[in-house]
Amino acid sequence: MLCKGLVLSQLAIPVVSLLIGFLAYTSQYFFLHFQQAPLQKNEAWWLNILATCIWICYYRACTVDPGHIPKNWKPADGKQPHPSQEDIGRQRWCRRCEALKPPRAHHCKKCGRCIPKMDHHCPWTSNCVSHFTFPHFIRFLFYTVFGTGYLGTLLFRRASIVWADRNLPGYLGPSLSQLVHLFILIVVNSFICFALFILFVRTVWSLGSNVTTIESWEIERHQTLVRRARYFGGFLDGPGGVKIRIKKQEFPYDIGIWANIKAGMGGSRNILGWFWPLAASPDRSTGLVYEVNEFEDPGLSWPPPDPDRIPRPTRPVGDDGAFTMPQYSSAREQLEAFNQRQQEDLQRRRVYSQVQRRRRFHERLEHQVEPGSDSAETWSENDDSAEGEESWRNSEGERLGDFGVDEEAEFYDEEDIPLGVLVERRGNRFKE
């Protein structure tokens, strides 16, 4: 399976290049030899200009580095001068990179690193659509849709001529090979134009709302959790029996249509520059901090809390809900007990990450909703996807892994920050 996926990814760029060449240049060969309506000079100019723009944008979408997170990156300390312990624990951590993750960054399983503002890993460019490659990707879609649309008008114009002369003798019209060529050009061009037009419209919609493909999945996931929590008093069970409050949280990065488009196109205000194939990539110093709206508390992180992402309690809690502190006869005995508890915590953490945190949602809630009860009937009628996050899919049947995200790191490790990192960060805060 891995070899098959690797072969497909290696063939993607050559296949797309062949399609571009086939439509751009064999169509001109057909037009030049179509006696009823030969290729006009202005048509040739437009076809070659659009083809050149497509080539440039596709090359840049494939080859521009999608970015990486600087080593030892840390969030700006001035944002939250007095964070609570809960805020510190909610910082995003990537176990694959063993480093903190900036907002909107995700670990790509194809690129093998965290990508700034990752939208998705595009199989047709073999590259991530990210903060740095998104402008090139959307320009490629624009010129491809515009180019195939223009080519389609030329092809259908010639097809209408063939249809009008269908009653004439065969020797007065195009040859059989030309008819087959025209038919293949129309079918392939129409399919590509239709498919990429839908993708282009969705991408423009995402650009206008400043929502990446991954974030649209997270928004739908959050809406599902809010709907589930409504039947349990606004709380869902987290690991270790902890009750996690789930409340509706607005998406923080939608800052207005104009500002969204400007941010998505590299921060440029030049509208004509948005369409220029040779426009510069966004500055490499950007992509780590993003402007947010004021709909929610600035201290809230995105994505919102999820029971399948919350780390387990590091210390056991007694039946009375209070921690017990044993008495020690010496400092040595206290140190040995501390080391033993640390080893036990690490062992429980490993077992928990392998079993408990990956248990499906409905398995954790079986004891809360009895079959045949009103709550169970309401649940089944209003939510068809009562499964855990590991197998949860959005309305289009997609998981985060379908966008290239490393689900193991994203779901189960992003908040598993080493204790030493938390202590160091908390100490730096207090020093200020």
Side-chain angles (χ1 to χ4, degrees):
M1 183 64 69
L2 180 61
C3 294
K4 183 178 179 180
L6 182 61
V7 171
L8 290 177
S9 64
Q10 292 176 342
L11 292 177
I13 294 179
V15 167
V16 173
S17 300
L18 285 174
L19 283 175
I20 296 174
F22 173 74
L23 293 177
Y25 304 117
T26 68
S27 61
Q28 296 185 57
Y29 177 83
F30 169 82
F31 293 144
L32 286 171
H33 295 82
F34 189 76
Q35 297 180 356
Q36 289 82 351
L39 185 67
Q40 301 298 316
K41 186 176 181 179
N42 64 320
E43 294 174 342
W45 272 104
W46 275 110
L47 284 175
N48 286 285
I49 289 175
L50 291 172
T52 302
C53 293
I54 292 173
W55 281 118
I56 294 174
C57 294
Y58 182 64
Y59 173 79
R60 303 189 76 188
C62 294
T63 59
V64 170
D65 189 348
H68 65 279
I69 309 304
K71 188 176 181 180
N72 299 325
W73 175 87
K74 295 181 180 179
D77 292 333
K79 297 265 181 164
Q80 296 175 324
H82 302 291
S84 64
Q85 181 64 33
E86 181 179 357
D87 293 333
I88 294 176
R90 286 275 301 158
Q91 294 295 340
R92 306 174 71 233
W93 174 265
C94 179
R95 189 172 182 180
R96 296 286 191 265
C97 301
E98 295 185 349
L100 290 167
K101 287 197 299 186
R104 316 185 81 176
H106 300 274
H107 191 94
C108 177
K109 60 185 177 183
K110 302 292 185 180
C111 299
R113 65 181 188 268
C114 286
I115 304 297
K117 193 186 175 183
M118 179 179 173
D119 187 279
H120 69 284
H121 187 94
C122 179
W124 301 110
T125 62
S126 293
N127 198 11
C128 267
V129 179
S130 69
H131 174 74
F132 299 104
T133 59
F134 181 85
H136 306 305
F137 180 75
I138 196 171
R139 278 191 285 265
F140 166 67
L141 293 180
F142 170 78
Y143 283 112
T144 303
V145 171
F146 189 76
T148 54
Y150 179 71
L151 177 59
T153 60
L154 301 183
L155 291 172
F156 280 106
R157 188 180 305 167
R158 271 69 178 182
S160 64
I161 294 175
V162 173
W163 179 256
D165 297 340
R166 64 187 182 279
N167 295 323
L168 295 178
Y171 62 85
L172 294 179
S175 64
L176 178 61
S177 61
Q178 286 182 313
L179 291 176
V180 172
H181 191 187
L182 176 61
F183 176 77
I184 294 176
L185 284 171
I186 290 177
V187 171
V188 174
N189 184 77
S190 300
F191 175 78
I192 293 177
C193 184
F194 176 75
L196 291 187
F197 176 76
I198 295 176
L199 179 59
F200 177 68
V201 170
R202 293 185 61 177
T203 305
V204 171
W205 181 271
S206 298
L207 175 64
S209 56
N210 202 10
V211 177
T212 65
T213 304
I214 294 173
E215 288 167 344
S216 66
W217 189 97
E218 291 174 340
I219 291 173
E220 189 171 342
R221 167 69 180 174
H222 177 55
Q223 292 172 346
T224 301
L225 292 177
V226 171
R227 187 168 62 251
R228 290 172 177 175
R230 188 178 301 125
Y231 302 109
F232 299 100
F235 292 85
L236 294 178
D237 273 352
V242 177
K243 294 289 185 179
I244 307 300
R245 183 181 181 186
I246 305 296
K247 62 178 182 179
K248 182 175 176 56
Q249 184 174 324
E250 297 295 333
F251 181 70
Y253 301 112
D254 186 356
I255 54 178
I257 295 179
W258 170 253
N260 291 339
I261 296 176
K262 184 182 70 172
M265 298 306 292
S268 173
R269 296 175 177 268
N270 185 359
I271 298 179
L272 294 179
W274 297 347
F275 300 94
W276 179 237
L278 298 175
S281 301
D283 193 300
R284 290 291 167 174
S285 63
T286 61
L288 302 176
V289 179
Y290 299 93
E291 183 180 354
V292 297
N293 53 44
E294 298 180 354
F295 295 145
E296 297 285 357
D297 185 346
L300 293 177
S301 61
W302 184 269
D306 190 315
D308 290 332
R309 294 187 184 183
I310 302 299
R312 65 181 291 277
T314 57
R315 291 174 180 266
V317 180
D319 296 336
D320 58 352
F323 294 106
T324 59
M325 182 61 68
Q327 301 295 324
Y328 301 101
S329 59
S330 65
R332 181 183 180 84
E333 182 182 354
Q334 184 177 2
L335 179 60
E336 291 176 353
F338 173 80
N339 291 333
Q340 182 179 357
R341 289 197 304 271
Q342 188 178 46
Q343 293 300 322
E344 293 174 353
D345 285 345
L346 289 174
Q347 182 62 26
R348 283 194 298 268
R349 202 176 187 87
R350 294 191 191 100
V351 175
Y352 178 78
S353 63
Q354 294 295 326
V355 182
Q356 183 68 12
R357 293 178 76 178
R358 299 185 186 184
R359 181 185 289 181
R360 292 189 175 190
F361 182 84
H362 69 278
E363 293 176 355
R364 296 197 309 270
L365 296 182
E366 281 180 350
H367 66 283
Q368 294 191 26
V369 182
E370 298 180 359
S373 63
D374 295 338
S375 299
E377 294 176 359
T378 308
W379 181 272
S380 60
E381 291 175 359
N382 291 277
D383 196 339
D384 298 330
S385 58
E387 295 184 350
E389 184 177 23
E390 185 181 13
S391 58
W392 186 86
R393 298 174 183 269
N394 63 5
S395 58
E396 298 182 7
E398 297 167 323
R399 293 173 51 176
L400 273 185
D402 298 327
F403 308 132
V405 176
D406 188 336
E407 292 182 275
E408 293 294 323
E410 186 71 17
F411 286 154
Y412 309 116
D413 299 324
E414 73 167 349
E415 291 177 342
D416 195 11
I417 306 179
L419 180 61
V421 175
L422 292 178
V423 172
E424 179 186 359
R425 293 199 59 229
R426 188 176 186 186
N428 293 336
R429 302 269 189 179
F430 289 143
K431 287 179 182 179
E432 297 179 356

